[in-house]
Short mmCIF file of all heavy atoms in Angstrom, two decimals:
data_model
loop_
_atom_site.label_atom_id
_atom_site.label_comp_id
_atom_site.label_asym_id
_atom_site.label_seq_id
_atom_site.Cartn_x
_atom_site.Cartn_y
_atom_site.Cartn_z
N MET G 29 7.13 -1.86 4.47
CA MET G 29 5.85 -2.18 5.11
C MET G 29 6.02 -2.08 6.62
O MET G 29 6.96 -2.63 7.18
CB MET G 29 5.44 -3.59 4.70
CG MET G 29 4.00 -3.90 5.04
SD MET G 29 3.42 -5.39 4.22
CE MET G 29 4.26 -6.65 5.15
N ARG G 30 5.14 -1.35 7.25
CA ARG G 30 5.22 -1.18 8.70
C ARG G 30 3.99 -1.78 9.36
O ARG G 30 2.86 -1.46 9.00
CB ARG G 30 5.31 0.31 9.05
CG ARG G 30 6.64 0.93 8.69
CD ARG G 30 6.69 2.39 9.08
NE ARG G 30 5.67 3.15 8.39
CZ ARG G 30 4.96 4.13 8.96
NH1 ARG G 30 5.15 4.46 10.21
NH2 ARG G 30 4.06 4.78 8.26
N ILE G 31 4.22 -2.67 10.30
CA ILE G 31 3.13 -3.34 11.02
C ILE G 31 2.63 -2.43 12.15
O ILE G 31 3.42 -1.79 12.84
CB ILE G 31 3.63 -4.68 11.61
CG1 ILE G 31 4.23 -5.56 10.50
CG2 ILE G 31 2.52 -5.39 12.36
CD1 ILE G 31 3.26 -5.97 9.41
N VAL G 32 1.32 -2.38 12.32
CA VAL G 32 0.72 -1.62 13.44
C VAL G 32 0.86 -2.45 14.71
O VAL G 32 0.37 -3.58 14.77
CB VAL G 32 -0.76 -1.32 13.15
CG1 VAL G 32 -1.42 -0.67 14.37
CG2 VAL G 32 -0.89 -0.41 11.94
N GLU G 33 1.54 -1.92 15.69
CA GLU G 33 1.80 -2.69 16.91
C GLU G 33 0.92 -2.27 18.08
O GLU G 33 0.90 -2.93 19.11
CB GLU G 33 3.28 -2.59 17.28
CG GLU G 33 4.11 -3.50 16.39
CD GLU G 33 5.59 -3.15 16.40
OE1 GLU G 33 5.96 -2.19 17.09
OE2 GLU G 33 6.35 -3.84 15.70
N THR G 34 0.20 -1.17 17.93
CA THR G 34 -0.72 -0.76 18.99
C THR G 34 -2.14 -0.92 18.50
O THR G 34 -2.38 -1.03 17.30
CB THR G 34 -0.48 0.71 19.38
OG1 THR G 34 -0.52 1.51 18.20
CG2 THR G 34 0.87 0.88 20.04
N LYS G 35 -3.10 -0.95 19.42
CA LYS G 35 -4.49 -1.07 19.00
C LYS G 35 -4.94 0.24 18.38
O LYS G 35 -4.86 1.29 19.00
CB LYS G 35 -5.38 -1.42 20.20
CG LYS G 35 -5.30 -2.88 20.55
CD LYS G 35 -6.52 -3.31 21.36
CE LYS G 35 -6.54 -4.84 21.46
NZ LYS G 35 -7.60 -5.29 22.39
N MET G 36 -5.38 0.16 17.13
CA MET G 36 -5.73 1.36 16.39
C MET G 36 -6.81 1.01 15.39
O MET G 36 -6.81 -0.08 14.84
CB MET G 36 -4.48 1.85 15.65
CG MET G 36 -4.50 3.29 15.25
SD MET G 36 -3.00 3.71 14.33
CE MET G 36 -1.80 3.66 15.64
N ARG G 37 -7.71 1.93 15.15
CA ARG G 37 -8.75 1.73 14.14
C ARG G 37 -8.19 1.99 12.76
O ARG G 37 -7.33 2.84 12.59
CB ARG G 37 -9.93 2.68 14.39
CG ARG G 37 -10.81 2.27 15.53
CD ARG G 37 -11.74 1.15 15.11
NE ARG G 37 -12.45 0.60 16.27
CZ ARG G 37 -13.57 1.13 16.75
NH1 ARG G 37 -14.10 2.20 16.18
NH2 ARG G 37 -14.16 0.61 17.78
N CYS G 38 -8.75 1.28 11.80
CA CYS G 38 -8.41 1.52 10.40
C CYS G 38 -8.76 2.96 10.01
O CYS G 38 -9.83 3.45 10.34
CB CYS G 38 -9.19 0.53 9.54
SG CYS G 38 -9.06 0.86 7.78
N GLY G 39 -7.85 3.63 9.31
CA GLY G 39 -8.08 5.02 8.92
C GLY G 39 -8.96 5.15 7.69
O GLY G 39 -9.35 6.25 7.32
N ILE G 40 -9.29 4.05 7.02
CA ILE G 40 -10.10 4.10 5.81
C ILE G 40 -11.57 3.81 6.14
O ILE G 40 -12.43 4.64 5.92
CB ILE G 40 -9.59 3.09 4.76
CG1 ILE G 40 -8.10 3.35 4.46
CG2 ILE G 40 -10.43 3.17 3.49
CD1 ILE G 40 -7.79 4.73 3.91
N CYS G 41 -11.86 2.62 6.66
CA CYS G 41 -13.25 2.26 6.96
C CYS G 41 -13.64 2.67 8.38
O CYS G 41 -14.82 2.75 8.69
CB CYS G 41 -13.48 0.76 6.73
SG CYS G 41 -12.59 -0.29 7.90
N LYS G 42 -12.67 2.90 9.24
CA LYS G 42 -12.88 3.32 10.63
C LYS G 42 -13.73 2.33 11.43
O LYS G 42 -14.37 2.69 12.41
CB LYS G 42 -13.50 4.73 10.68
CG LYS G 42 -12.60 5.76 10.03
CD LYS G 42 -13.14 7.16 10.17
CE LYS G 42 -12.12 8.21 9.79
NZ LYS G 42 -11.67 8.11 8.39
N LYS G 43 -13.71 1.06 11.01
CA LYS G 43 -14.48 0.04 11.71
C LYS G 43 -13.59 -1.01 12.33
O LYS G 43 -13.72 -1.34 13.50
CB LYS G 43 -15.47 -0.64 10.73
CG LYS G 43 -16.64 0.24 10.38
CD LYS G 43 -17.71 -0.54 9.63
CE LYS G 43 -17.22 -0.99 8.27
NZ LYS G 43 -18.26 -1.56 7.42
N ASP G 44 -12.68 -1.56 11.53
CA ASP G 44 -11.88 -2.69 11.99
C ASP G 44 -10.54 -2.24 12.54
O ASP G 44 -10.10 -1.12 12.32
CB ASP G 44 -11.68 -3.67 10.84
CG ASP G 44 -12.99 -4.31 10.42
OD1 ASP G 44 -13.76 -4.71 11.32
OD2 ASP G 44 -13.24 -4.41 9.21
N GLY G 45 -9.89 -3.14 13.25
CA GLY G 45 -8.57 -2.84 13.81
C GLY G 45 -7.52 -2.82 12.73
O GLY G 45 -7.51 -3.65 11.82
N ALA G 46 -6.62 -1.85 12.81
CA ALA G 46 -5.57 -1.72 11.80
C ALA G 46 -4.48 -2.75 12.02
O ALA G 46 -4.17 -3.10 13.17
CB ALA G 46 -5.00 -0.32 11.84
N VAL G 47 -3.91 -3.24 10.95
CA VAL G 47 -2.82 -4.22 11.04
C VAL G 47 -1.53 -3.73 10.42
O VAL G 47 -0.45 -4.18 10.75
CB VAL G 47 -3.22 -5.57 10.39
CG1 VAL G 47 -4.30 -6.26 11.21
CG2 VAL G 47 -3.67 -5.40 8.95
N VAL G 48 -1.63 -2.78 9.49
CA VAL G 48 -0.43 -2.32 8.79
C VAL G 48 -0.64 -0.86 8.36
O VAL G 48 -1.77 -0.41 8.18
CB VAL G 48 -0.16 -3.25 7.58
CG1 VAL G 48 -1.23 -3.10 6.51
CG2 VAL G 48 1.22 -3.02 6.98
N TYR G 49 0.45 -0.11 8.24
CA TYR G 49 0.36 1.27 7.78
C TYR G 49 0.52 1.33 6.27
O TYR G 49 1.31 0.57 5.69
CB TYR G 49 1.47 2.13 8.39
CG TYR G 49 1.35 2.34 9.88
CD1 TYR G 49 2.14 1.63 10.76
CD2 TYR G 49 0.45 3.27 10.39
CE1 TYR G 49 2.04 1.82 12.14
CE2 TYR G 49 0.34 3.48 11.75
CZ TYR G 49 1.13 2.75 12.63
OH TYR G 49 1.03 2.95 13.98
N CYS G 50 -0.20 2.25 5.65
CA CYS G 50 -0.03 2.52 4.23
C CYS G 50 1.38 3.05 3.98
O CYS G 50 1.84 3.96 4.68
CB CYS G 50 -1.07 3.53 3.76
SG CYS G 50 -0.83 4.05 2.06
N ASP G 51 2.08 2.50 3.01
CA ASP G 51 3.43 2.98 2.67
C ASP G 51 3.40 4.29 1.88
O ASP G 51 4.44 4.88 1.64
CB ASP G 51 4.18 1.90 1.87
CG ASP G 51 4.76 0.84 2.79
OD1 ASP G 51 5.37 1.20 3.80
OD2 ASP G 51 4.59 -0.35 2.49
N GLY G 52 2.21 4.71 1.47
CA GLY G 52 2.11 5.98 0.75
C GLY G 52 1.79 7.12 1.70
O GLY G 52 2.57 8.04 1.86
N CYS G 53 0.62 7.06 2.34
CA CYS G 53 0.17 8.19 3.16
C CYS G 53 0.31 7.93 4.66
O CYS G 53 0.11 8.83 5.46
CB CYS G 53 -1.29 8.52 2.82
SG CYS G 53 -2.45 7.20 3.21
N GLY G 54 0.64 6.70 5.04
CA GLY G 54 0.85 6.40 6.45
C GLY G 54 -0.41 6.10 7.24
O GLY G 54 -0.35 5.92 8.45
N ALA G 55 -1.55 6.01 6.56
CA ALA G 55 -2.80 5.71 7.25
C ALA G 55 -2.80 4.28 7.77
O ALA G 55 -2.32 3.38 7.09
CB ALA G 55 -3.98 5.90 6.31
N PRO G 56 -3.31 4.04 8.99
CA PRO G 56 -3.44 2.67 9.48
C PRO G 56 -4.54 1.95 8.70
O PRO G 56 -5.60 2.51 8.46
CB PRO G 56 -3.80 2.84 10.96
CG PRO G 56 -4.35 4.21 11.08
CD PRO G 56 -3.76 5.03 9.98
N LEU G 57 -4.27 0.70 8.32
CA LEU G 57 -5.20 -0.05 7.47
C LEU G 57 -5.57 -1.39 8.10
O LEU G 57 -4.71 -2.07 8.65
CB LEU G 57 -4.55 -0.33 6.11
CG LEU G 57 -3.98 0.86 5.35
CD1 LEU G 57 -3.17 0.38 4.16
CD2 LEU G 57 -5.08 1.80 4.92
N CYS G 58 -6.84 -1.77 7.97
CA CYS G 58 -7.29 -3.08 8.43
C CYS G 58 -7.09 -4.11 7.32
O CYS G 58 -6.65 -3.78 6.21
CB CYS G 58 -8.76 -3.04 8.84
SG CYS G 58 -9.90 -2.89 7.46
N ARG G 59 -7.41 -5.36 7.60
CA ARG G 59 -7.21 -6.43 6.61
C ARG G 59 -8.02 -6.21 5.34
O ARG G 59 -7.62 -6.62 4.25
CB ARG G 59 -7.64 -7.78 7.22
CG ARG G 59 -6.67 -8.31 8.22
CD ARG G 59 -7.22 -9.56 8.91
NE ARG G 59 -6.71 -9.64 10.28
CZ ARG G 59 -5.50 -10.11 10.58
NH1 ARG G 59 -4.70 -10.53 9.63
NH2 ARG G 59 -5.08 -10.14 11.82
N ASN G 60 -9.18 -5.60 5.47
CA ASN G 60 -10.04 -5.41 4.29
C ASN G 60 -9.58 -4.25 3.41
O ASN G 60 -9.85 -4.25 2.22
CB ASN G 60 -11.48 -5.16 4.73
CG ASN G 60 -12.07 -6.36 5.43
OD1 ASN G 60 -11.82 -7.50 5.05
ND2 ASN G 60 -12.84 -6.13 6.47
N CYS G 61 -8.93 -3.28 4.00
CA CYS G 61 -8.59 -2.06 3.26
C CYS G 61 -7.17 -2.07 2.72
O CYS G 61 -6.85 -1.31 1.82
CB CYS G 61 -8.78 -0.83 4.15
SG CYS G 61 -10.50 -0.60 4.65
N ARG G 62 -6.31 -2.91 3.25
CA ARG G 62 -4.93 -2.90 2.77
C ARG G 62 -4.86 -3.57 1.40
O ARG G 62 -5.62 -4.48 1.09
CB ARG G 62 -4.03 -3.65 3.75
CG ARG G 62 -4.31 -5.13 3.72
CD ARG G 62 -3.50 -5.90 4.71
NE ARG G 62 -4.03 -7.27 4.78
CZ ARG G 62 -3.55 -8.21 5.57
NH1 ARG G 62 -2.56 -7.94 6.40
NH2 ARG G 62 -4.07 -9.42 5.57
N LYS G 63 -3.92 -3.10 0.61
CA LYS G 63 -3.65 -3.74 -0.68
C LYS G 63 -2.16 -3.97 -0.76
O LYS G 63 -1.38 -3.04 -0.58
CB LYS G 63 -4.11 -2.84 -1.84
CG LYS G 63 -5.61 -2.69 -1.90
CD LYS G 63 -6.02 -1.92 -3.13
CE LYS G 63 -7.52 -1.78 -3.24
NZ LYS G 63 -8.21 -3.08 -3.39
N PHE G 64 -1.78 -5.20 -1.03
CA PHE G 64 -0.36 -5.52 -1.09
C PHE G 64 0.18 -5.36 -2.50
O PHE G 64 -0.50 -5.61 -3.48
CB PHE G 64 -0.10 -6.96 -0.65
CG PHE G 64 -0.19 -7.13 0.83
CD1 PHE G 64 -1.08 -8.02 1.39
CD2 PHE G 64 0.65 -6.41 1.68
CE1 PHE G 64 -1.16 -8.18 2.75
CE2 PHE G 64 0.58 -6.56 3.05
CZ PHE G 64 -0.33 -7.46 3.59
N ASP G 65 1.43 -4.96 -2.55
CA ASP G 65 2.13 -4.94 -3.83
C ASP G 65 3.56 -5.37 -3.57
O ASP G 65 4.10 -5.12 -2.49
CB ASP G 65 2.11 -3.53 -4.43
CG ASP G 65 1.32 -3.51 -5.73
OD1 ASP G 65 1.71 -4.26 -6.65
OD2 ASP G 65 0.34 -2.77 -5.82
N LEU G 66 4.16 -5.99 -4.53
CA LEU G 66 5.57 -6.36 -4.43
C LEU G 66 6.36 -5.49 -5.38
O LEU G 66 6.09 -5.44 -6.56
CB LEU G 66 5.77 -7.84 -4.78
CG LEU G 66 5.21 -8.84 -3.79
CD1 LEU G 66 5.37 -10.25 -4.33
CD2 LEU G 66 5.90 -8.72 -2.44
N TRP G 67 7.31 -4.77 -4.81
CA TRP G 67 8.18 -3.94 -5.63
C TRP G 67 9.45 -4.70 -5.88
O TRP G 67 10.16 -5.09 -4.95
CB TRP G 67 8.49 -2.63 -4.91
CG TRP G 67 7.34 -1.66 -4.88
CD1 TRP G 67 6.03 -1.93 -5.11
CD2 TRP G 67 7.41 -0.26 -4.58
NE1 TRP G 67 5.28 -0.79 -4.98
CE2 TRP G 67 6.11 0.24 -4.65
CE3 TRP G 67 8.46 0.59 -4.26
CZ2 TRP G 67 5.83 1.58 -4.41
CZ3 TRP G 67 8.18 1.92 -4.02
CH2 TRP G 67 6.87 2.41 -4.10
N GLY G 68 9.79 -4.91 -7.16
CA GLY G 68 11.00 -5.65 -7.49
C GLY G 68 12.11 -4.74 -7.93
O GLY G 68 11.90 -3.79 -8.66
N TYR G 69 13.32 -5.01 -7.44
CA TYR G 69 14.49 -4.25 -7.86
C TYR G 69 15.49 -5.24 -8.43
O TYR G 69 16.08 -6.01 -7.68
CB TYR G 69 15.13 -3.52 -6.68
CG TYR G 69 14.19 -2.56 -6.00
CD1 TYR G 69 13.47 -2.95 -4.89
CD2 TYR G 69 14.02 -1.27 -6.49
CE1 TYR G 69 12.62 -2.06 -4.25
CE2 TYR G 69 13.17 -0.39 -5.87
CZ TYR G 69 12.47 -0.79 -4.75
OH TYR G 69 11.63 0.07 -4.13
N GLY G 70 15.69 -5.23 -9.73
CA GLY G 70 16.62 -6.16 -10.34
C GLY G 70 16.18 -7.59 -10.07
O GLY G 70 15.01 -7.86 -9.88
N CYS G 71 17.14 -8.51 -10.03
CA CYS G 71 16.75 -9.90 -9.83
C CYS G 71 16.90 -10.28 -8.35
O CYS G 71 17.89 -10.00 -7.71
CB CYS G 71 17.57 -10.83 -10.70
SG CYS G 71 19.33 -10.54 -10.64
N GLY G 72 15.87 -10.90 -7.85
CA GLY G 72 15.96 -11.46 -6.51
C GLY G 72 15.49 -10.56 -5.39
O GLY G 72 14.95 -11.04 -4.41
N HIS G 73 15.64 -9.26 -5.53
CA HIS G 73 15.25 -8.38 -4.43
C HIS G 73 13.83 -7.89 -4.61
O HIS G 73 13.51 -7.18 -5.54
CB HIS G 73 16.21 -7.19 -4.34
CG HIS G 73 15.98 -6.36 -3.10
ND1 HIS G 73 16.82 -6.42 -2.01
CD2 HIS G 73 15.00 -5.50 -2.78
CE1 HIS G 73 16.34 -5.61 -1.07
NE2 HIS G 73 15.25 -5.03 -1.51
N VAL G 74 12.96 -8.28 -3.70
CA VAL G 74 11.56 -7.87 -3.76
C VAL G 74 11.18 -7.25 -2.42
O VAL G 74 11.50 -7.78 -1.37
CB VAL G 74 10.65 -9.08 -4.07
CG1 VAL G 74 9.19 -8.68 -3.99
CG2 VAL G 74 10.95 -9.62 -5.46
N ASP G 75 10.51 -6.11 -2.49
CA ASP G 75 10.15 -5.36 -1.30
C ASP G 75 8.63 -5.36 -1.13
O ASP G 75 7.93 -4.79 -1.97
CB ASP G 75 10.68 -3.93 -1.48
CG ASP G 75 10.73 -3.18 -0.18
OD1 ASP G 75 10.53 -3.79 0.88
OD2 ASP G 75 10.98 -1.96 -0.23
N PRO G 76 8.09 -6.02 -0.11
CA PRO G 76 6.64 -6.00 0.07
C PRO G 76 6.15 -4.64 0.55
O PRO G 76 6.74 -4.04 1.44
CB PRO G 76 6.40 -7.08 1.14
CG PRO G 76 7.68 -7.22 1.86
CD PRO G 76 8.78 -6.78 0.93
N LYS G 77 5.09 -4.16 -0.08
CA LYS G 77 4.51 -2.86 0.28
C LYS G 77 3.04 -3.04 0.58
O LYS G 77 2.39 -3.91 0.02
CB LYS G 77 4.64 -1.88 -0.90
CG LYS G 77 6.06 -1.57 -1.30
CD LYS G 77 6.70 -0.59 -0.36
CE LYS G 77 8.08 -0.20 -0.85
NZ LYS G 77 8.75 0.70 0.12
N ALA G 78 2.52 -2.20 1.45
CA ALA G 78 1.08 -2.19 1.74
C ALA G 78 0.57 -0.78 1.49
O ALA G 78 1.20 0.20 1.88
CB ALA G 78 0.83 -2.60 3.18
N PHE G 79 -0.59 -0.70 0.82
CA PHE G 79 -1.15 0.61 0.49
C PHE G 79 -2.64 0.64 0.79
O PHE G 79 -3.31 -0.39 0.73
CB PHE G 79 -0.97 0.90 -1.00
CG PHE G 79 0.46 1.07 -1.42
CD1 PHE G 79 1.11 0.09 -2.14
CD2 PHE G 79 1.16 2.22 -1.10
CE1 PHE G 79 2.43 0.23 -2.53
CE2 PHE G 79 2.48 2.38 -1.48
CZ PHE G 79 3.12 1.38 -2.19
N CYS G 80 -3.15 1.84 1.05
CA CYS G 80 -4.59 2.03 1.09
C CYS G 80 -5.08 2.04 -0.36
O CYS G 80 -4.27 2.16 -1.28
CB CYS G 80 -4.93 3.33 1.81
SG CYS G 80 -4.47 4.84 0.92
N PRO G 81 -6.39 1.90 -0.60
CA PRO G 81 -6.89 1.82 -1.98
C PRO G 81 -6.48 3.02 -2.84
O PRO G 81 -6.14 2.87 -4.01
CB PRO G 81 -8.41 1.77 -1.81
CG PRO G 81 -8.60 1.16 -0.46
CD PRO G 81 -7.45 1.66 0.38
N ALA G 82 -6.48 4.22 -2.29
CA ALA G 82 -6.13 5.42 -3.06
C ALA G 82 -4.66 5.40 -3.46
O ALA G 82 -4.32 5.68 -4.61
CB ALA G 82 -6.45 6.67 -2.25
N CYS G 83 -3.78 5.05 -2.53
CA CYS G 83 -2.35 5.05 -2.83
C CYS G 83 -1.99 3.91 -3.78
O CYS G 83 -1.10 4.05 -4.61
CB CYS G 83 -1.53 4.95 -1.55
SG CYS G 83 -1.63 6.43 -0.52
N ALA G 84 -2.67 2.77 -3.66
CA ALA G 84 -2.37 1.63 -4.52
C ALA G 84 -2.59 1.96 -5.99
O ALA G 84 -1.89 1.45 -6.86
CB ALA G 84 -3.22 0.43 -4.11
N ASP G 85 -3.55 2.84 -6.26
CA ASP G 85 -3.88 3.19 -7.63
C ASP G 85 -3.16 4.44 -8.11
O ASP G 85 -3.35 4.87 -9.24
CB ASP G 85 -5.39 3.42 -7.77
CG ASP G 85 -6.15 2.11 -7.75
OD1 ASP G 85 -5.52 1.05 -7.93
OD2 ASP G 85 -7.36 2.14 -7.55
N ASP G 86 -2.34 5.04 -7.23
CA ASP G 86 -1.67 6.29 -7.59
C ASP G 86 -0.27 6.00 -8.11
O ASP G 86 0.60 5.54 -7.36
CB ASP G 86 -1.60 7.19 -6.36
CG ASP G 86 -1.12 8.58 -6.70
OD1 ASP G 86 -0.39 8.74 -7.70
OD2 ASP G 86 -1.48 9.51 -5.97
N ILE G 87 -0.06 6.25 -9.38
CA ILE G 87 1.22 5.88 -10.00
C ILE G 87 2.39 6.69 -9.43
O ILE G 87 3.54 6.26 -9.47
CB ILE G 87 1.12 6.01 -11.53
CG1 ILE G 87 2.24 5.23 -12.20
CG2 ILE G 87 1.08 7.46 -11.96
CD1 ILE G 87 2.06 5.02 -13.68
N GLN G 88 2.10 7.85 -8.88
CA GLN G 88 3.16 8.66 -8.26
C GLN G 88 3.67 7.97 -6.98
O GLN G 88 4.83 8.10 -6.62
CB GLN G 88 2.62 10.04 -7.87
CG GLN G 88 2.01 10.81 -9.01
CD GLN G 88 3.05 11.44 -9.93
OE1 GLN G 88 4.23 11.40 -9.64
NE2 GLN G 88 2.61 11.99 -11.02
N ILE G 89 2.77 7.29 -6.30
CA ILE G 89 3.11 6.66 -5.03
C ILE G 89 3.51 5.20 -5.25
O ILE G 89 4.44 4.70 -4.64
CB ILE G 89 1.90 6.76 -4.07
CG1 ILE G 89 1.66 8.22 -3.70
CG2 ILE G 89 2.12 5.91 -2.82
CD1 ILE G 89 0.34 8.47 -3.01
N ASN G 90 2.79 4.52 -6.14
CA ASN G 90 2.98 3.09 -6.36
C ASN G 90 3.24 2.81 -7.84
O ASN G 90 2.36 2.34 -8.54
CB ASN G 90 1.74 2.33 -5.86
CG ASN G 90 1.88 0.84 -6.03
OD1 ASN G 90 2.98 0.31 -6.23
ND2 ASN G 90 0.77 0.14 -5.94
N PRO G 91 4.44 3.13 -8.33
CA PRO G 91 4.72 2.98 -9.78
C PRO G 91 4.66 1.53 -10.24
O PRO G 91 4.44 1.28 -11.43
CB PRO G 91 6.12 3.56 -9.94
CG PRO G 91 6.71 3.56 -8.58
CD PRO G 91 5.58 3.69 -7.61
N TRP G 92 4.82 0.57 -9.34
CA TRP G 92 4.76 -0.84 -9.75
C TRP G 92 3.33 -1.32 -9.92
O TRP G 92 3.05 -2.16 -10.75
CB TRP G 92 5.47 -1.72 -8.74
CG TRP G 92 6.91 -1.93 -9.04
CD1 TRP G 92 7.46 -3.00 -9.68
CD2 TRP G 92 8.00 -1.06 -8.74
NE1 TRP G 92 8.82 -2.83 -9.78
CE2 TRP G 92 9.18 -1.66 -9.22
CE3 TRP G 92 8.09 0.17 -8.10
CZ2 TRP G 92 10.43 -1.07 -9.08
CZ3 TRP G 92 9.33 0.75 -7.96
CH2 TRP G 92 10.49 0.14 -8.46
N GLY G 93 2.43 -0.81 -9.11
CA GLY G 93 1.07 -1.34 -9.15
C GLY G 93 0.03 -0.32 -9.56
O GLY G 93 -1.10 -0.67 -9.81
N GLY G 94 0.41 0.96 -9.62
CA GLY G 94 -0.54 2.01 -9.95
C GLY G 94 -1.03 1.89 -11.38
O GLY G 94 -0.38 1.27 -12.21
N LYS G 95 -2.18 2.48 -11.62
CA LYS G 95 -2.73 2.44 -12.98
C LYS G 95 -1.82 3.25 -13.91
O LYS G 95 -1.50 4.38 -13.63
CB LYS G 95 -4.14 3.04 -12.97
CG LYS G 95 -5.13 2.18 -12.25
CD LYS G 95 -6.55 2.64 -12.57
CE LYS G 95 -7.58 1.75 -11.90
NZ LYS G 95 -7.82 2.13 -10.51
N ARG G 96 -1.45 2.64 -15.00
CA ARG G 96 -0.60 3.33 -15.96
C ARG G 96 -1.42 4.34 -16.75
O ARG G 96 -2.58 4.09 -17.04
CB ARG G 96 0.00 2.31 -16.94
CG ARG G 96 0.78 1.21 -16.28
CD ARG G 96 2.19 1.63 -15.96
NE ARG G 96 2.95 0.53 -15.39
CZ ARG G 96 3.19 0.38 -14.09
NH1 ARG G 96 2.73 1.23 -13.23
NH2 ARG G 96 3.90 -0.63 -13.64
N PRO G 97 -0.81 5.44 -17.13
CA PRO G 97 -1.52 6.39 -18.01
C PRO G 97 -1.88 5.70 -19.32
O PRO G 97 -1.14 4.83 -19.79
CB PRO G 97 -0.50 7.50 -18.25
CG PRO G 97 0.54 7.34 -17.20
CD PRO G 97 0.54 5.89 -16.80
N ALA G 98 -2.99 6.12 -19.93
CA ALA G 98 -3.48 5.46 -21.15
C ALA G 98 -2.47 5.60 -22.28
O ALA G 98 -2.18 4.64 -23.00
CB ALA G 98 -4.81 6.05 -21.55
N ALA G 99 -1.92 6.80 -22.46
CA ALA G 99 -0.96 7.02 -23.54
C ALA G 99 0.46 6.81 -23.04
O ALA G 99 0.99 7.59 -22.27
CB ALA G 99 -1.12 8.43 -24.09
N GLU G 100 1.04 5.72 -23.42
CA GLU G 100 2.41 5.41 -23.00
C GLU G 100 3.14 4.79 -24.19
O GLU G 100 3.33 3.60 -24.28
CB GLU G 100 2.39 4.44 -21.82
CG GLU G 100 3.67 4.45 -21.01
CD GLU G 100 3.61 3.47 -19.84
OE1 GLU G 100 3.34 2.28 -20.08
OE2 GLU G 100 3.81 3.90 -18.70
N ASN G 101 3.46 5.65 -25.15
CA ASN G 101 3.95 5.15 -26.43
C ASN G 101 5.46 5.21 -26.60
O ASN G 101 5.98 4.73 -27.57
CB ASN G 101 3.29 5.94 -27.58
CG ASN G 101 1.79 5.70 -27.60
OD1 ASN G 101 1.35 4.60 -27.32
ND2 ASN G 101 1.03 6.73 -27.89
N ASP G 102 6.15 5.84 -25.67
CA ASP G 102 7.60 5.97 -25.85
C ASP G 102 8.31 4.64 -25.69
O ASP G 102 8.30 4.08 -24.64
CB ASP G 102 8.18 6.95 -24.82
CG ASP G 102 7.75 8.37 -25.16
OD1 ASP G 102 7.15 8.56 -26.23
OD2 ASP G 102 8.03 9.26 -24.35
ZN1 LIG F 213 -10.53 -0.74 6.97
ZN1 LIG F 214 -2.37 5.60 1.51
#
């Protein structure tokens, strides 16, 4: 997760000030547009991630929080 340290507009709504960059596409995101996810690796290690709405739902980018394919029978 990368915090926006300069004054920048949100790349999604283009209205509010950005606070964090999307970990998928790198777009600056405001408080309303960011979506948080916690990626866990084994026990104890958790990595906070921030995504724009499109990346949050994209399983290629966000396998922990993305929508799973309907058929997952293996
Ligand atoms: Zn926004
Ligand atoms: Zn994104």
Side-chain angles (χ1 to χ4, degrees):
M29 193 167 74
R30 289 181 299 141
I31 304 297
V32 174
E33 283 162 359
T34 52
K35 281 201 169 172
M36 201 182 289
R37 284 282 171 84
C38 171
I40 305 300
C41 67
K42 299 185 168 61
K43 286 190 294 189
D44 294 316
V47 292
V48 68
Y49 292 103
C50 174
D51 279 313
C53 64
L57 307 170
C58 72
R59 286 173 211 280
N60 295 322
C61 297
R62 70 183 170 181
K63 292 186 179 296
F64 284 121
D65 245 301
L66 291 175
W67 286 17
Y69 301 95
C71 49
H73 188 104
V74 174
D75 197 9
K77 298 282 185 184
F79 294 106
C80 69
C83 291
D85 285 344
D86 189 334
I87 198 166
Q88 304 283 353
I89 293 167
N90 181 17
W92 269 262
K95 291 194 178 82
R96 303 277 183 259
E100 201 180 56
N101 296 323
D102 289 353

